[in-house]
Amino acid sequence: MRRWREHAKLKSHDQAIQNNIHSIPSMNVSPDLSFITLVTDASLLVQLVLALLLFVSVVSWTYIFRKMYAIGSARRQTEEFERTFWAGGNLNALYQDATSNRKGRNKTGALERIFESGMSEFHKTRNSLAKGGNIDSGIVIDGARRAMRAAYQREMDALESHLAFLASVGSVSPYVGLFGTVWGIMNAFRGLANVQQATLAAVAPGIAEALVATAIGLFAAIPAVVAYNRYTHDIDRLAIRFETFIEEFSNILQRQVR
């Protein structure tokens, strides 16, 4: 009888140990840290930050491809017009071609439009002074140069459009992502207040969710900064070519007035 009671006590003790073991959560189960899960499980504010950064990134890439095409076209058209201009052709014939191209379907380049503006003002000013019988070369050349300068400014404004947006994305996006990261980490540590024992497995998902915002911020910023620096350099080189052409063409017009 005594042995039977001891056996029953040992059996109940083993059963209790097994029940406790089954009640302990398995340590081999790791949380799902996939990118989609991290985004969907993030807090509302972090999700809004991620959505804003993704939207800004899409717009930034749109402007990057548009500016790449615009600057590439401007460079090719400038090279083509320079070859035609310095081939020694007649200026009046070039002016007629530029005017007909602008009125027709053929798209003229930036340098060709600058040339057209200067040549048009040159003809208008010279014809106006010729009616009075006194052609002042200084007035004619100054008028043509001012017209080319105005056309030059219009072309530069068109080439530099949206560059400010790329600069803003490159400078602000990391800080926006950092804001989402700080907010996510705050939520992660705030959730530890309800946990009796803080472990790495408990805090890792919250921190990973927060760091996604920083990653998306860098993803939006880095291409924008690279594109801004590259396009600024290319536009500066085009601006130098435009200004050089204005001065050289002004000298040609001055010799024609004399």
Side-chain angles (χ1 to χ4, degrees):
M1 189 69 177
R2 184 178 179 182
R3 290 182 178 179
W4 182 82
R5 290 179 179 176
E6 291 178 355
H7 179 71
K9 289 181 180 180
L10 290 174
K11 186 175 181 180
S12 62
H13 181 68
D14 293 340
Q15 185 67 31
I17 293 175
Q18 291 179 2
N19 293 335
N20 291 333
I21 292 175
H22 289 303
S23 64
I24 297 175
S26 177
M27 298 301 292
N28 295 328
V29 178
S30 60
D32 187 5
L33 297 180
S34 64
F35 179 81
I36 297 177
T37 304
L38 293 176
V39 173
T40 55
D41 292 343
S43 63
L44 178 61
L45 182 60
V46 175
Q47 288 179 347
L48 291 176
V49 170
L50 293 176
L52 175 62
L53 290 174
L54 287 175
F55 173 76
V56 168
S57 178
V58 171
V59 177
S60 175
W61 277 104
T62 302
Y63 287 150
I64 286 173
F65 286 117
R66 288 177 59 183
K67 296 307 295 181
M68 180 174 61
Y69 173 77
I71 294 175
S73 297
R75 186 188 300 112
R76 289 191 300 270
Q77 292 168 346
T78 298
E79 291 174 354
E80 291 176 0
F81 182 76
E82 283 182 336
R83 285 195 298 267
T84 304
F85 181 85
W86 295 113
N90 185 272
L91 293 180
N92 291 323
L94 286 177
Y95 173 67
Q96 294 297 328
D97 291 339
T99 304
S100 60
N101 290 335
R102 180 175 57 84
K103 293 180 180 179
R105 294 184 178 181
N106 296 329
K107 187 177 180 181
T108 59
L111 190 60
E112 189 173 1
R113 288 189 290 270
I114 293 174
F115 162 78
E116 181 189 0
S117 298
M119 199 68 180
S120 176
E121 185 64 25
F122 173 78
H123 286 307
K124 291 178 181 178
T125 306
R126 188 176 63 175
N127 294 335
S128 177
L129 294 177
K131 294 179 181 179
N134 183 17
I135 299 179
D136 190 341
S137 62
I139 296 176
V140 175
I141 300 304
D142 287 342
R145 184 180 286 111
R146 285 194 301 268
M148 287 188 288
R149 281 289 175 182
Y152 164 80
Q153 291 297 333
R154 289 193 297 268
E155 298 299 332
M156 294 305 300
D157 288 340
L159 289 173
E160 292 175 352
S161 62
H162 306 308
L163 285 183
F165 177 82
L166 294 179
S168 299
V169 171
S171 60
V172 175
S173 292
Y175 295 102
V176 176
L178 183 60
F179 169 74
T181 298
V182 172
W183 187 268
I185 292 176
M186 288 172 56
N187 287 335
F189 282 106
R190 193 158 45 213
L192 291 179
N194 301 324
V195 179
Q196 295 180 354
Q197 185 178 3
T199 62
L200 182 61
V203 73
I207 295 179
E209 294 168 5
L211 292 177
V212 170
T214 299
I216 298 299
L218 294 176
F219 175 77
I222 293 174
V225 172
V226 173
Y228 174 80
N229 292 333
R230 177 62 185 177
Y231 294 159
T232 301
H233 174 265
D234 293 341
I235 292 174
D236 288 342
R237 290 180 61 87
L238 284 174
I240 293 174
R241 296 175 71 171
F242 294 163
E243 291 178 342
T244 303
F245 175 81
I246 290 174
E247 296 301 323
E248 292 176 339
F249 185 48
S250 298
N251 294 332
I252 295 174
L253 293 179
Q254 189 170 7
R255 289 195 295 269
Q256 283 201 351
V257 173
R258 293 176 181 176

